Amino acid sequence: MDQADRYRQLALLGKEVFLASAAPAALIRRRAEDSEVLDRTGSGDKDLDAETQVAAAVGRRRAPGGIEVFPLAKKPGASFPDMITIGRTANNDIVLRDVTVSRLHAFFRRRDDRWVVADAGSKNGTAVEGEPLLPRRERDVGSGTGVRIGDLELTFYTAVDLYAVLSGK
């Protein structure tokens, strides 16, 4: 079961169960229901670790319903305990297997009751609502905000708003 399936099932169980079980926020990648998923992992890239190369060889499967869910949560024992890292290698909290995503591309951080995002000095940049971010300069991000990481278009949602999107409530 992938994260999109898991989050849909949690939404069916109700808001309280969803909020208790889901990450406090997530990135959503929407896909056209009938489009084919292109493998853009760059499996010939020597910088990719073995796990990423295996995933590239196997290919990617499309999430039902045309979305992918990337929960903003720390991996146990991961580096940088104060931030949720995003990049194309397995040592990141969120792995985006795309050739336009740097090994360490961007990071999210929770600051009291708000979320911030910053580009980590990536080659292809990070943008919020189309506005490029300066490297290592944090910027507030609100629920429902578009975030571009490399060439990937994602949407940031807090758990409450993601529940509303998935449940239709």
Side-chain angles (χ1 to χ4, degrees):
M1 173 185 313
D2 69 5
Q3 290 295 338
D5 291 336
R6 179 177 172 271
Y7 271 61
R8 279 193 194 88
Q9 288 182 357
L10 286 173
L12 292 173
L13 297 174
K15 186 175 184 177
E16 289 179 25
V17 172
F18 185 90
L19 295 177
S21 303
L27 292 172
I28 303 300
R29 182 174 181 208
R30 298 184 191 280
R31 294 182 179 268
E33 196 63 37
D34 57 351
S35 69
E36 290 185 27
V37 176
L38 298 176
D39 181 8
R40 293 171 33 118
T41 59
S43 55
D45 188 339
K46 294 175 184 165
D47 290 338
L48 296 178
D49 61 9
E51 177 185 308
T52 305
Q53 290 179 25
V54 169
V58 172
R60 298 172 59 172
R61 94 182 160 101
R62 180 179 43 203
I67 66 168
E68 289 177 282
V69 177
F70 302 97
L72 290 177
K74 285 299 294 174
K75 284 183 181 176
S79 301
F80 309 110
D82 63 331
M83 61 182 71
I84 299 165
T85 61
I86 300 171
R88 76 168 188 264
T89 56
N91 61 329
N92 288 285
D93 299 305
I94 297 175
V95 178
L96 299 176
R97 292 184 173 106
D98 188 278
V99 295
T100 65
V101 176
S102 296
R103 285 178 274 180
L104 172 58
H105 195 100
F107 60 88
F108 280 81
R109 194 187 306 251
R110 196 166 187 181
R111 298 252 188 228
D112 299 320
D113 61 345
R114 62 190 175 93
W115 284 87
V116 297
V117 62
D119 184 84
S122 67
K123 180 179 178 184
N124 293 310
T126 304
V128 173
E129 294 295 337
E131 185 178 321
L133 299 180
L134 295 173
R136 290 169 285 286
R137 295 279 174 104
E138 293 180 353
R139 175 163 170 194
D140 286 355
V141 62
S143 195
T145 300
V147 178
R148 183 185 47 75
I149 296 176
D151 285 347
L152 302 181
E153 296 290 338
L154 305 144
T155 306
F156 170 84
Y157 285 106
T158 61
V160 171
D161 293 334
L162 183 55
Y163 170 77
V165 168
L166 294 176
S167 67
K169 296 180 182 179

